[in-house]
Amino acid sequence: MTKGRVTVIDIAKAAGVSKSTVSLVLQGSPLVNDGTRAKVNAVMRELGYVYNRGAANLRQSGSKSKIIGVVVNDLTNGFFAELAVGVDMVVQSAGFVQFLSNTSENLDRQREVIASMREHGISGLILSPARATEAADLKPLVAAGIPVVVAVRNVPGAKASSVVSDNREGIFIGVQHLVSLGHRRIAFLGGFRDTAVFDERLAGYRAAAAACGLDCDEDLIIDSPPSRAGGAEAIERALSIGDKPTAAVCFNDALAFGVCDGLRARGLEPGRDFAVIGFDDVIEAKTAVPALTTISVDPQGIGRRAAQLLLKQISAGKAEAEAIVSSVRLVVRESCGAMNQPLQERKQV
Amino acid sequence: MTKGRVTVIDIAKAAGVSKSTVSLVLQGSPLVNDGTRAKVNAVMRELGYVYNRGAANLRQSGSKSKIIGVVVNDLTNGFFAELAVGVDMVVQSAGFVQFLSNTSENLDRQREVIASMREHGISGLILSPARATEAADLKPLVAAGIPVVVAVRNVPGAKASSVVSDNREGIFIGVQHLVSLGHRRIAFLGGFRDTAVFDERLAGYRAAAAACGLDCDEDLIIDSPPSRAGGAEAIERALSIGDKPTAAVCFNDALAFGVCDGLRARGLEPGRDFAVIGFDDVIEAKTAVPALTTISVDPQGIGRRAAQLLLKQISAGKAEAEAIVSSVRLVVRESCGAMNQPLQERKQV
DNA sequence: TTGCCAATTTGGAACGTTCCAATTAAAAGC
DNA sequence: GCTTTTAATTGGAACGTTCCAAATTGGCAA
């Protein structure tokens, strides 16, 4: 209840030392005598001192702010929430705090948020970019020597590190699984064609088709918004072509649910009459009916790895960009129809 | 690519004015001549100036930091993620940024995180407290005159504002609904007895029982961890008593799912042989089988309100504590059995 | 001319820390 | 006893901003 806040000078006065000594104690310097250190610490506790990081950052004007920025495109989505949690885990235990903001896929907001974080002197940024983010959006950051790690979605051309899941491989094993269940006409449904993730997943589809000797009919590749509604729309189009598919790999789980809706609207039961595979393994995937077969990625793991990479770059001063791909795995549930097969066949999967 | 970062003094030199003038421009003061302002702004853009909020905060040593801290107990849980998003929405549009951290229900971590936020000079805190948080944990904050709003869970005895959902009313209407479906033996399952939320919900249960003329048998009140496993355990105990219940209101949705598991393990089908009502309306509630009848609360709305309240208190300098209760509503789905009833009866619900 | 007013602008002194060079105190070497 | 070494401490100058009181304009009435 003194006038203002209690500063290092107040501590110094009360402990009978100089402010410099108090500062040394604060930084855990070995130069200071144990007795003095104890005394100073005692006084600090007594007076209820709280460290002013702002002032400290000002002086040691560098990347020592102990703040790392985290910007995600959709925190409502459990996937990205998990990502943020993963980041928080490693960031917190390294004594940093995280500035977290949500852009809701809005590029302008993303710019604002990043600018604001710069003003606050973040020492690094982890970004799960909003759709259509360009390298130019990250340019000022990297130019200022602030390490940036993009996660989940790549930003083409950006000179930043990245941690993304193995999109190509994921769709590849999905298609492979469907082929092993006897499907030959397999559609690739959903997603925006102008995104890097789409490209990678489509590449996986093409590679699998080639590997399994399927003819890769362009009619079977259908883009649409990666949402539930987009899924219903996509399956509608897929079933309107001449030589109909009997199975589909979907851009993500939300879209796969929409595909299930669309199938039912046509009187087809997903998992029995048509095989569906999603991507992401969101939390609802296992409780939905039918339970969704999907490609599981580990968002929390991606978050952790992104944070580790960022911290490494921060402490290294300046490291060159590094790209990590996080592996994925197929989770077989009901929507692919595998559960309908006789047991001896299922064991082969 | 000059030596260090570009400061207000660099701008002043380049624009041929004094640093004070630049500062005035920065703050949008009406004192400065339009021509000068334009000139300064141009130079700032040209030199790539970035505002140093840390330095500013240092001078105007007050609650002007434009940072608000948000601490949630479990970001993995979609409920709290939504809360954070709600907060972010209003906080961002007020020109603040949010420091978000996750405590994972860990009290020590919560303390660390709050301390860290204080060091960074947050101008307010929104806290969804970890279990067993005590008023003492918030004491230093409020003593320092930092506005605090607790959300979702109340902290008994804390001199802080709060935004919580109407727990009492929620369980009340849940029980009432079950009674309207003909149930007389209704259990209250799950939750930790030492929490404020438990008390409120139990009070709702008791009030509804009294209002509907049920005999409120203490055997029907069973506490357990509010998790899926805890639900299975709770229903097990509930069905082992002499005069078995035919329905249950559950502490939350996760627990309700566990109750469904436990019922099935006993050969009972939830929704047909036993009515189950959850609380929270998590995202899986509508896709589960049977779809869960539950009390819907609006976490994003709570977040928004909490943020608005906090901002109000920040700008007001010092306002006294205020308590907001956020209303809830019953979402009737399948697990309560209402869908099995003839249509004319359902309309009464 | 002189004085006065409004409109702009400005130099320093903060803010709370860290860092540097310099100082002091005590111990050690000759 | 005198220098040298080591250990511990210290004052003052930064850091980049805001704020205050004061100064500089130009116009305009007396």
Side-chain angles (χ1 to χ4, degrees):
Chain A
M1 299 309 141
T2 49
K3 271 266 195 61
R5 66 146 81 228
V6 20
T7 85
V8 95
I9 297 195
D10 300 325
I11 302 298
K13 250 173 221 151
V17 296
S18 80
K19 59 186 163 46
S20 305
T21 304
V22 177
S23 174
L24 289 176
V25 171
L26 246 19
Q27 308 173 251
S29 161
L31 288 181
V32 34
N33 182 295
D34 286 345
T36 319
R37 184 198 318 282
K39 170 94 192 180
V40 169
N41 278 324
V43 173
M44 288 201 301
R45 220 164 306 129
E46 187 182 337
L47 298 193
Y49 170 73
V50 335
Y51 185 65
N52 185 334
R53 243 170 238 279
N57 291 345
L58 184 53
R59 188 50 172 80
Q60 50 191 146
S61 171
S63 55
K64 292 202 64 189
S65 80
K66 293 292 192 183
I67 303 178
I68 84 118
V70 181
V71 176
V72 300
N73 51 300
D74 183 8
L75 197 59
T76 315
N77 185 326
F79 184 91
F80 297 104
E82 289 277 355
L83 179 87
V85 169
V87 171
D88 196 45
M89 286 170 72
V90 355
V91 150
Q92 248 183 65
S93 57
F96 284 66
V97 290
Q98 93 171 325
F99 251 143
L100 187 138
S101 274
N102 185 35
T103 60
S104 311
E105 298 288 4
N106 181 331
L107 265 180
D108 289 328
R109 177 151 284 191
Q110 179 171 289
R111 266 186 281 265
E112 285 170 23
V113 158
I114 292 180
S116 167
M117 287 183 169
R118 263 198 93 184
E119 292 186 356
H120 282 285
I122 55 172
S123 35
L125 175 72
I126 291 176
L127 172 68
S128 167
R131 208 161 18 246
T133 298
E134 294 168 8
D137 293 318
L138 303 182
K139 200 75 180 302
L141 272 293
V142 304
I146 298 174
V148 176
V149 174
V150 301
V152 184
R153 299 172 175 174
N154 238 318
V155 175
K159 237 190 79 58
S161 296
S162 64
V163 182
V164 299
S165 50
D166 199 338
N167 293 304
R168 193 177 185 288
E169 175 72 5
I171 293 292
F172 188 97
I173 59 181
V175 170
Q176 216 168 31
H177 176 66
L178 289 171
V179 169
S180 80
L181 294 174
H183 295 278
R184 303 289 300 170
R185 295 284 294 171
I186 301 171
F188 178 85
L189 300 182
F192 289 120
R193 279 188 189 265
D194 61 353
T195 66
V197 175
F198 185 92
D199 290 343
E200 294 166 21
R201 294 191 183 172
L202 183 54
Y205 173 77
R206 290 220 154 94
C212 299
L214 308 181
D215 47 322
C216 191
D217 190 342
E218 289 299 315
D219 286 353
L220 292 174
I221 300 170
I222 297 176
D223 55 357
S224 79
S227 62
R228 193 149 187 156
E233 175 199 331
I235 187 67
E236 191 59 36
R237 276 197 274 152
L239 292 179
S240 68
I241 65 177
D243 190 2
K244 299 186 188 1
T246 62
V249 286
C250 301
F251 185 78
N252 69 17
D253 285 352
L255 191 123
F257 290 131
V259 167
C260 291
D261 295 345
L263 286 168
R264 288 215 182 86
R266 282 237 178 186
L268 298 173
E269 181 58 23
R272 192 192 60 198
D273 307 321
F274 192 98
V276 178
I277 292 189
F279 205 113
D280 281 355
D281 195 16
V282 299
I283 192 124
E284 304 98 303
K286 62 166 125 354
T287 57
V289 180
L292 191 66
T293 292
T294 187
I295 310 300
S296 175
V297 318
D298 173 18
Q300 196 166 310
I302 292 180
R304 277 196 304 266
R305 249 163 304 196
Q308 281 155 357
L309 181 52
L310 187 70
L311 291 180
K312 197 179 85 183
Q313 301 198 347
I314 289 173
S315 62
K318 185 59 195 167
E320 59 261 37
E322 194 169 325
I324 296 180
V325 305
S326 171
S327 61
V328 298
R329 73 197 160 82
L330 175 70
V331 177
V332 178
R333 297 203 183 94
E334 299 162 2
S335 69
C336 61
M339 298 311 178
N340 302 330
Q341 309 247 333
L343 201 60
Q344 62 273 29
E345 289 195 31
R346 278 168 60 189
K347 294 188 70 175
Q348 296 175 6
V349 173
Chain B
M1 298 309 140
T2 51
K3 269 271 194 59
R5 66 145 86 230
V6 20
T7 85
V8 95
I9 298 196
D10 300 325
I11 302 297
K13 250 173 223 151
V17 295
S18 79
K19 59 187 161 45
S20 306
T21 306
V22 177
S23 175
L24 289 176
V25 171
L26 246 20
Q27 307 173 249
S29 162
L31 290 181
V32 33
N33 182 295
D34 286 344
T36 319
R37 186 199 316 283
K39 169 96 193 175
V40 169
N41 278 324
V43 173
M44 288 201 301
R45 220 162 310 128
E46 187 183 336
L47 298 192
Y49 171 72
V50 335
Y51 184 65
N52 185 335
R53 242 169 239 280
N57 291 346
L58 183 54
R59 188 51 171 80
Q60 50 192 150
S61 168
S63 52
K64 294 201 62 187
S65 79
K66 294 293 192 182
I67 303 179
I68 84 118
V70 181
V71 176
V72 300
N73 51 300
D74 184 8
L75 197 60
T76 315
N77 185 328
F79 184 91
F80 298 103
E82 289 277 354
L83 179 88
V85 169
V87 170
D88 196 45
M89 286 172 71
V90 355
V91 148
Q92 250 183 61
S93 56
F96 284 65
V97 290
Q98 93 174 323
F99 251 143
L100 186 136
S101 274
N102 185 34
T103 61
S104 310
E105 298 287 6
N106 181 331
L107 265 180
D108 289 328
R109 177 152 282 194
Q110 179 171 287
R111 266 187 281 267
E112 285 170 21
V113 158
I114 292 180
S116 167
M117 287 183 168
R118 266 199 90 184
E119 293 186 356
H120 282 286
I122 54 172
S123 37
L125 175 72
I126 291 176
L127 172 69
S128 168
R131 207 162 19 246
T133 298
E134 295 170 9
D137 292 318
L138 303 181
K139 200 73 179 301
L141 273 292
V142 305
I146 299 175
V148 177
V149 174
V150 303
V152 184
R153 299 172 175 175
N154 236 319
V155 176
K159 239 188 79 56
S161 295
S162 64
V163 182
V164 299
S165 51
D166 199 339
N167 292 303
R168 195 177 184 286
E169 174 72 4
I171 293 292
F172 189 97
I173 59 181
V175 170
Q176 219 168 30
H177 176 67
L178 289 172
V179 168
S180 80
L181 294 174
H183 294 279
R184 303 291 298 170
R185 295 284 294 170
I186 300 172
F188 178 85
L189 301 182
F192 288 121
R193 278 187 190 265
D194 61 354
T195 66
V197 175
F198 185 93
D199 289 343
E200 293 165 24
R201 295 192 181 171
L202 183 55
Y205 173 79
R206 290 220 155 92
C212 299
L214 307 181
D215 47 324
C216 191
D217 190 340
E218 289 299 317
D219 286 353
L220 292 175
I221 300 169
I222 297 177
D223 55 357
S224 79
S227 61
R228 192 147 188 159
E233 174 199 329
I235 187 67
E236 191 58 35
R237 276 196 275 153
L239 292 178
S240 68
I241 66 177
D243 192 358
K244 297 186 188 6
T246 63
V249 286
C250 301
F251 186 77
N252 67 17
D253 285 352
L255 191 123
F257 290 133
V259 167
C260 291
D261 294 344
L263 286 168
R264 288 215 182 87
R266 282 235 179 187
L268 298 172
E269 181 58 23
R272 190 190 62 198
D273 307 321
F274 193 97
V276 178
I277 292 188
F279 206 113
D280 281 354
D281 195 16
V282 298
I283 191 122
E284 303 99 303
K286 64 164 124 354
T287 56
V289 180
L292 192 66
T293 292
T294 188
I295 310 300
S296 177
V297 319
D298 173 19
Q300 198 167 309
I302 293 181
R304 277 195 304 266
R305 250 165 302 200
Q308 281 154 357
L309 182 52
L310 187 70
L311 292 181
K312 198 179 83 182
Q313 300 199 348
I314 289 174
S315 62
K318 184 60 195 166
E320 59 261 36
E322 194 170 326
I324 296 181
V325 306
S326 171
S327 62
V328 298
R329 72 195 163 83
L330 176 70
V331 177
V332 178
R333 294 202 185 95
E334 300 163 0
S335 68
C336 62
M339 298 308 176
N340 302 331
Q341 311 246 329
L343 202 61
Q344 63 274 28
E345 288 195 33
R346 277 168 61 187
K347 295 187 70 176
Q348 296 177 6
V349 174

